[in-house]
Structure formats: structure tokens, C-alpha cells
Amino acid sequence: MTPRRTLLKSAAAAFALSLATPALVQAKEPIPIVATFSILGDMVARIGGEHVAVTTLVGPDGDAHVYQPTPADARAVSTADVLFVNGLEFEGWIDRLIDASDFGGTRVVATTGIEAIPFEEGDDHHDEHGDDDHAEHGHDDHAKDKHDEHGHDDHAGHDHGAFDPHAWQSLENAVTLENAVTYVDNITAALAQADPANAADYYKNRAAYVAEIEALDAELLALMQALPENARTVVTSHDAFGYFAARYGLTFEAPIGLSTESEASAADVAKLIVQIRKEKISAVFVETITDNRLMEQIVRETGAQIGGTLYSDALSGPDGPASTYLDMMRHNATTLSQALGS
Ligand code: ZN
């Protein structure tokens, strides 16, 4: 028997050993990971399992578009081996947070490889309003941040907010079968690289997760295809459901644009009210991350009903109906189906 095994005879001795030799224990500890928002954090936790300790910056019901990072966030980023971000301009504050921290790990853009939906200028209020905001904001960012080090992927070749960042809102994509699976593949590859000893476990978790994603995608397609053709237009607060719309055959209208940073103008709201009346849109959905007074006003003025609550950019708390990414997708589809199918 080796001296070490003798020491491990009792739990107390093992604890003493763990205090005395942190390096030995550290090798078995989960690797520190940061994910920017709850949906991404859940995906990382599914792939990483027991091997990762995930800190999520923007928690349940939080709005990542307008998030203000805290000193605790900077500390979490400083100690992270891997930082997962959505990209596509979703986290406008991430470069400043990284600059304010002592981050020496790998930054992974989870949407890399996804065929992003371009922002349709000209058929949205966004080009009339909000442009000034975005131009100023964008220039500031570009001047201050070190884009040659970080963020090449999400800044090169297009203007601020030129693509819809909400790519998690589709489980799959009719053409390339990507979206959620692309997130999962990017996460799996990054974890396997950061922690090669457990790579086999990450790929095993990936396979189980992808099977669930594919099964749920088929379930959602069937549910949405069962809706009457003339009951597939819905109204939400902000344009978060472009990928869902493209995959599952619905049309979403929203008074606020792609980011909750912008505000709906009176003219936009009036136009939407006219459209709801003209097209006899019967259901308006509230979101957990946005102020719902605007939607309540729209409901009062059109006679439409509140069809339910959709989770756009954040999960619910652990006791809510959308505490995981897959539960969120199922909840949204079920809520839409119940409101539109009746
Ligand atoms: Zn959003």
C-alpha cells in the first residue's frame, strides 16, 4: 500500500489531503466556464455535465440586449477557461466587459457557421428610427474596442445589428439543419479542446442532446403545421422570432425591432394596430424580458387577446415553464398552438 492510500483511509484524512495538495484536487474540479445568457448557459451545462462549472451573466428573465455588466461578472470572466457568447451583435457590452477583466481563456462565438438572417431594411420601422442610435453606438464600439483581438467574427463586413442574433429560436434549419445543432457543435468542440481528458464525455452528451433536439424539432413542425393557414400571424414585443418564423411557418410582427434597446414610435404602434385590425390578427403575445404595457395598449385598441407569454431571449427561473432551452422551445410552440388553434 502506498503512503497516499494509507492517508485516504478516512474521509477526514481525504479532506485534509485535499487542502494540503490543491493541484491534485484541481485536476478533478470542473473547469470554469462563462456563458453570456441563460439559454446559452443551459446548452453549455448540457454538453459539459459534471465536468464544467458554468456561470451565466444574464440570468433567467434577464434582457441581454441592454445588460449592464457588474464587477462580479468581470471577476467571473477573469477566471473562465472558456467564454461562450452568442455573437451577431447580441451582447453589445461584451468587448467592454472583456477589456475590464483579466480574461486569458478562449472566447467562443456560438453562432459561428449559422446562416444568419439578414435584417430586412425597408420593411421595418428600424430604418426610419433607431438608425442614429445604432450608428453612434457602433462607431463608439469600434473606436474603443480591440477588434483585432476579439470579435472579428461578429463585426466584420456588416453594420451594427445587420443580422438577427436570435438564432437559438429555431431548433433546426430546413436547408442546412443547423441553428441549435450548430450551437451545440461549437460548444462541444470548444469544451473538448479546453478539456481533452473529458472529450469523449462531451461528444457523448452532444449525441444525446442532438437526438432530443431533432425529436423536438419534428414535434414542433407537426404542431405548427396543424395550425390553420389564416391563423399564423402573431404579434410580439420585439423581433426575436425570425428564425422560429422561418422554420415553423409563422409570421411575427413586433413594434420594437431586433434589439430591445430601440423604442417603438407612436407611428409604428399605430401602423401595427391598423394591421392587426385589417388582418384580423387575434392573438398578441407578451414576452418575459420586455415591458408589457405597450402590448396591453395594443390589445385594448384592437380587441385582440393576450395569447400567452413567450420566452424570447431568456429562460424562466427553475420553477417556471421554460427553465431549460428545450422546455422553452416546447413552451413557446405549445402556447402559440393553443392560442392560434382555437
Ligand atoms: Zn432579443
Side-chain angles (χ1 to χ4, degrees):
M1 192 176 274
T2 64
R4 201 183 129 213
R5 292 187 71 172
T6 311
L7 269 175
L8 282 170
K9 268 193 297 196
S10 73
F15 182 65
L17 178 69
S18 78
L19 291 178
T21 56
L24 187 74
V25 173
Q26 213 167 27
K28 291 177 184 170
E29 268 180 9
I31 57 171
I33 305 286
V34 169
T36 49
F37 67 117
S38 55
I39 295 165
L40 188 55
D42 177 60
M43 292 180 181
V44 174
R46 273 296 306 258
I47 306 301
E50 61 184 12
H51 304 307
V52 299
V54 183
T55 301
T56 293
L57 302 182
V58 186
D61 297 327
D63 183 354
H65 292 291
V66 294
Y67 185 67
Q68 305 273 0
T70 65
D73 293 339
R75 284 196 295 276
V77 168
S78 294
T79 58
D81 283 6
V82 186
L83 167 64
F84 287 101
V85 304
N86 185 75
L88 298 173
E89 311 288 325
F90 184 55
E91 306 99 336
W93 38 271
I94 194 68
D95 288 329
R96 289 190 297 277
L97 176 61
I98 289 172
D99 288 346
S101 72
D102 188 21
F103 179 57
T106 309
R107 167 169 160 168
V108 177
V109 178
T111 53
T112 300
I114 280 176
E115 204 170 305
I117 297 178
F119 182 68
E120 301 276 332
E121 296 206 35
D123 97 331
D124 196 285
H125 63 278
H126 217 73
D127 55 324
E128 293 162 38
H129 316 287
D131 245 9
D132 290 349
D133 280 6
H134 278 273
E136 274 171 38
H137 185 59
H139 287 311
D140 274 7
D141 274 1
H142 285 276
K144 270 189 230 145
D145 299 340
K146 295 172 198 149
H147 282 285
D148 30 330
E149 279 176 41
H150 315 290
H152 247 332
D153 288 351
D154 41 357
H155 281 270
H158 63 82
D159 294 326
H160 191 91
F163 289 93
D164 183 345
H166 307 90
W168 62 85
Q169 282 295 351
S170 167
L171 289 161
E172 295 201 356
N173 168 308
V175 183
T176 52
L177 299 180
E178 49 178 27
N179 285 47
V181 177
T182 303
Y183 279 86
V184 167
D185 282 345
N186 288 328
I187 292 165
T188 307
L191 291 180
Q193 194 174 19
D195 181 23
N198 291 310
D201 280 0
Y202 298 137
Y203 280 97
K204 202 174 84 189
N205 293 344
R206 175 208 173 270
Y209 199 28
V210 167
E212 279 185 56
I213 288 169
E214 287 172 351
L216 184 59
D217 181 64
E219 206 181 296
L220 264 52
L221 277 174
L223 203 57
M224 297 295 106
Q225 277 164 3
L227 292 174
E229 287 287 348
N230 63 355
R232 292 187 182 185
T233 300
V234 299
V235 176
T236 57
S237 307
H238 90 293
D239 276 319
F241 296 95
Y243 294 88
F244 188 101
R247 175 59 171 161
Y248 304 109
L250 272 68
T251 301
F252 285 77
E253 300 288 349
I256 306 172
L258 284 174
S259 171
T260 56
E261 266 182 301
S262 56
E263 279 178 33
S265 72
D268 295 332
V269 175
K271 208 171 98 184
L272 185 59
I273 286 172
V274 169
Q275 187 188 354
I276 291 170
R277 287 181 179 144
K278 204 171 100 190
E279 296 179 20
K280 299 185 169 51
I281 296 170
S282 60
V284 169
F285 294 84
V286 295
E287 295 173 35
T288 53
I289 64 156
T290 54
D291 181 345
N292 291 316
R293 281 174 297 185
L294 178 58
M295 305 315 282
E296 284 155 11
Q297 179 201 337
I298 289 171
V299 163
R300 275 197 309 276
E301 294 189 24
T302 58
Q305 303 287 314
I306 297 276
T309 300
L310 300 181
Y311 290 82
S312 54
D313 298 14
L315 299 177
S316 68
D319 300 327
S323 61
T324 68
Y325 168 60
L326 296 186
D327 282 350
M328 178 192 88
M329 295 301 292
R330 188 181 284 110
H331 167 87
N332 286 347
T334 307
T335 302
L336 289 163
S337 168
Q338 283 168 356
L340 300 174
S342 53

